[in-house]
């Protein structure tokens, strides 16, 4: 029997989890799009990438990773797929309610997670996941980071609310306005408004938690909500947020991940050149907003790319004057340490704190030093939950956690 290892890693460039399949240390497959060992099939609930290879004569093993594609691509692929059904597995100390709230003339479904036997006066975090269209658990492969955060925080006395992205619950509305406001920001601001109506929640203790793209957009979301109702948000938690321009971080990540997958320098340069041309076209004011831009099957209107390229969370984080908890993992390859430092330095409001947790990757689980995710189920590290809970409830984090 040969030893088989499967790694999955989220990529900003194409929004899928890259699969690396190896036997006895020999690389067999890299990116799903350029490996004959990987074929795409439609599962009963979502699109999967299946990797199939011989492990012994006459024996095949299959490995699965969920689609994590760019929003418009994923929206088309998921258009006929229902939102993920709630996980009914009992959790000690946790109460979960499936809720809906009004947003921009639409109805968004979500999950409200509370401590068991909740009482009035609870703090609540509205949680926003990373880029791509996935269910509101923010499922990436076997990991469900938002669901895990919600349950862990409920066990520590904190309520959370998280919800489906608009391309999941109303694709037509998103297609009519393909930008980050209509994908994330407007609905997240509406979720913050809904949170204040939950009887068990203290409306003066409402926070926004953003992971990855959610962290990048957090200042925009909070600014929109504060314009609607001043003093309605108490602070922000930024997990693995990106601070530098989208194209800079994307191309940087492409170099790192493609090289880790065994691509030659020439192949890496070709990828970089292709996506550089896309970003240049998106920035060109002569490019019509509706023109589809991308590489291969990964395309989105120029308007979408143009909007993302214009985003910069640093000025908003500085000007909002709200306390922020900035978190990162030392083995996270998606944003770099430079992004963490830029956000940490921008979080100057009283009560702000920061922590880069050793050995954790983009999903905040323990991972090898290359930032990859071993393709087995794992839980968000307890230190992450302890840090968030302590900051929300006390306004600081102990020096022993730093």
């Amino acid at each position: 029997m040969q030893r088989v290892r499967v790694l999955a890693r989220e990529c900003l460039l194409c929004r899928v989890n890259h699969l690396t399949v190896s036997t006895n240390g020999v690389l067999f497959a890299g990116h799903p799009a350029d490996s004959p060992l990987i074929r795409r099939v439609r599962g009963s609930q979502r699109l999967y990438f299946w990797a199939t290879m011989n492990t012994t004569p006459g024996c095949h093993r299959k490995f699965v990773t969920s689609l994590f594609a760019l929003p418009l691509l994923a929206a088309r692929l998921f258009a006929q797929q229902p939102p993920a059904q709630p996980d009914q597995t009992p959790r000690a100390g946790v109460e979960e309610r499936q809720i809906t709230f009004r947003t921009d003339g639409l109805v968004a479904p979500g999950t409200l997670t509370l401590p068991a036997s909740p009482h009035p006066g609870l703090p609540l975090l509205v949680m926003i996941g990373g880029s791509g269209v996935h269910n509101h658990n923010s499922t990436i492969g076997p990991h469900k980071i938002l669901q895990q955060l919600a349950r862990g925080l409920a066990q520590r006395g904190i309520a959370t609310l998280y919800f489906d992205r608009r391309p999941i619950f109303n694709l037509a509305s998103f297609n009519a306005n393909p930008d980050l406001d209509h994908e994330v920001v407007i609905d997240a601001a509406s979720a913050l408004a809904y949170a204040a109506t939950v009887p068990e929640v203290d409306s003066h203790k409402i926070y926004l938690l953003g992971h990855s793209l959610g962290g990048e957009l957090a200042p925009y979301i909070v600014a929109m909500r504060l314009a609607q109702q001043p003093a309605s948000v108490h602070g922000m938690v930024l997990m693995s947020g990106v601070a530098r321009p989208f194209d800079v971080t994307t191309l940087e990540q492409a170099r790192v991940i493609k090289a880790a997958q065994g691509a030659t320098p020439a192949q890496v340069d070709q990828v970089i050149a292709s996506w550089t041309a896309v970003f240049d076209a998106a920035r060109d004011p002569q490019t019509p907003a509706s023109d589809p831009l991308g590489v291969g099957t990964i395309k989105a209107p120029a308007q979408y790319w143009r909007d993302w390229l214009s985003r910069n969370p640093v000025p908003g984080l500085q000007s909002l004057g709200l306390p922020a908890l900035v978190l990162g993992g030392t083995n996270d390859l998606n944003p770099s340490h430079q992004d963490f430092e830029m956000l940490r330095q921008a979080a100057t409001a009283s009560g702000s704190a920061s922590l880069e947790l050793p050995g954790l990757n983009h999903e905040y689980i323990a991972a090898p030093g290359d930032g990859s995710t071993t393709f087995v189920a794992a839980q968000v590290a307890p230190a992450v939950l302890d840090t968030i809970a302590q900051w929300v409830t006390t306004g600081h984090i102990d020096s022993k956690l730093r």
Side-chain angles (χ1 to χ4, degrees):
M1 179 70 67
Q2 299 182 43
R3 181 173 60 85
V4 178
R5 189 183 187 203
V6 179
L7 301 178
R9 182 186 296 129
E10 177 202 346
C11 175
L12 274 173
L13 185 65
C14 63
R15 290 299 178 271
V16 298
N17 281 340
H18 289 206
L19 270 182
T20 301
V21 182
S22 63
T23 60
N24 296 333
V26 179
L27 183 68
F28 272 75
H31 190 288
D34 52 34
S35 169
L37 296 175
I38 297 175
R39 57 191 175 86
R40 196 169 63 185
V41 299
R42 183 172 292 280
S44 59
Q45 292 298 320
R46 62 174 60 89
L47 190 76
Y48 290 107
F49 287 104
W50 290 73
T52 305
M53 61 177 296
N54 284 319
T55 53
T56 58
C59 172
H60 287 77
R61 290 187 178 181
K62 298 178 180 179
F63 304 92
V64 184
T65 187
S66 297
L67 177 73
F68 199 65
L70 278 165
L72 287 185
L73 173 63
R76 289 195 295 269
L77 294 172
F78 278 81
Q80 305 303 317
Q81 301 297 332
Q85 294 301 307
D87 183 352
Q88 301 298 334
T89 306
R91 289 294 183 276
V94 173
E95 177 182 324
E96 292 178 325
R97 302 174 188 170
Q98 304 310 309
I99 57 91
T100 59
F101 61 91
R102 302 290 300 181
T103 175
D104 200 24
L106 308 170
V107 177
T111 299
L112 175 66
T113 307
L114 303 161
S117 303
H119 55 79
L122 293 172
L124 181 142
L125 290 146
V126 170
M127 302 195 300
I128 311 300
S131 54
V133 178
H134 36 75
N135 63 50
H136 64 258
N137 293 330
S138 201
T139 302
I140 302 175
H143 309 296
K144 300 178 180 180
I145 183 169
L146 293 190
Q147 183 186 77
Q148 291 180 11
L149 285 170
R151 290 174 172 177
L153 290 170
Q155 291 169 338
R156 290 161 173 79
I158 297 172
T160 57
L161 170 64
Y162 53 107
F163 55 93
D164 283 337
R165 287 282 171 81
R166 188 174 301 197
I168 291 289
F169 71 83
N170 197 301
L171 178 61
S173 173
F174 176 68
N175 282 341
N177 302 278
D179 57 34
L180 292 173
D181 278 350
H182 290 84
E183 184 189 0
V184 180
V185 177
I186 295 171
D187 300 337
S190 298
L192 287 166
Y194 172 83
T197 70
V198 177
E200 296 88 349
V201 170
D202 184 340
S203 62
H204 300 291
K205 297 179 181 178
I206 293 175
Y207 298 77
L208 182 79
L209 181 152
H211 173 245
S212 195
L213 176 64
E216 181 179 358
L217 295 179
Y220 294 92
I221 297 166
V222 171
M224 179 176 287
R225 178 57 187 150
L226 292 179
Q228 298 166 352
Q229 183 176 342
S232 57
V233 183
H234 192 67
M236 295 173 283
V237 179
L238 310 182
M239 302 180 66
S240 297
V242 174
R244 293 172 296 159
F246 170 58
D247 57 334
V248 173
T249 55
T250 297
L251 297 178
E252 176 184 278
Q253 190 184 97
R255 290 190 182 279
V256 172
I257 292 180
K258 281 292 185 182
Q261 291 176 328
T264 66
Q267 290 171 326
V268 172
D269 289 344
Q270 183 178 5
V271 171
I272 298 299
S274 297
W275 281 100
T276 298
V278 170
F279 297 138
D280 287 346
R283 283 199 171 94
D284 185 349
Q286 301 302 314
T287 303
S290 59
D291 271 16
L293 301 176
V295 177
T297 60
I298 302 169
K299 296 184 185 297
Q303 173 184 343
Y304 186 86
W305 300 115
R306 193 170 289 151
D307 179 34
W308 201 338
L309 288 165
S310 72
R311 301 284 177 164
N312 181 358
V314 171
L317 184 57
Q318 292 171 327
S319 64
L320 283 171
L322 290 180
L325 173 62
V326 179
L327 297 178
T330 59
N331 289 349
D332 187 347
L333 294 184
N334 290 49
S336 69
H337 176 73
Q338 184 178 350
D339 293 289
F340 170 82
E341 279 296 317
M342 290 175 67
L343 293 175
R344 182 187 66 80
Q345 293 173 19
T348 56
S350 176
S352 294
S354 61
L355 181 64
E356 198 168 25
L357 294 112
L360 301 187
N361 67 1
H362 197 56
E363 289 81 44
Y364 286 82
I365 62 175
D370 61 359
S372 60
T373 304
T374 303
F375 201 67
V376 294
Q379 295 293 314
V380 169
V384 178
L385 299 165
D386 292 340
T387 301
I388 296 172
Q390 185 180 67
W391 184 78
V392 167
T393 55
T394 70
H396 68 274
I397 57 176
D398 287 342
S399 57
K400 66 181 180 181
L401 293 175
R402 295 179 185 273

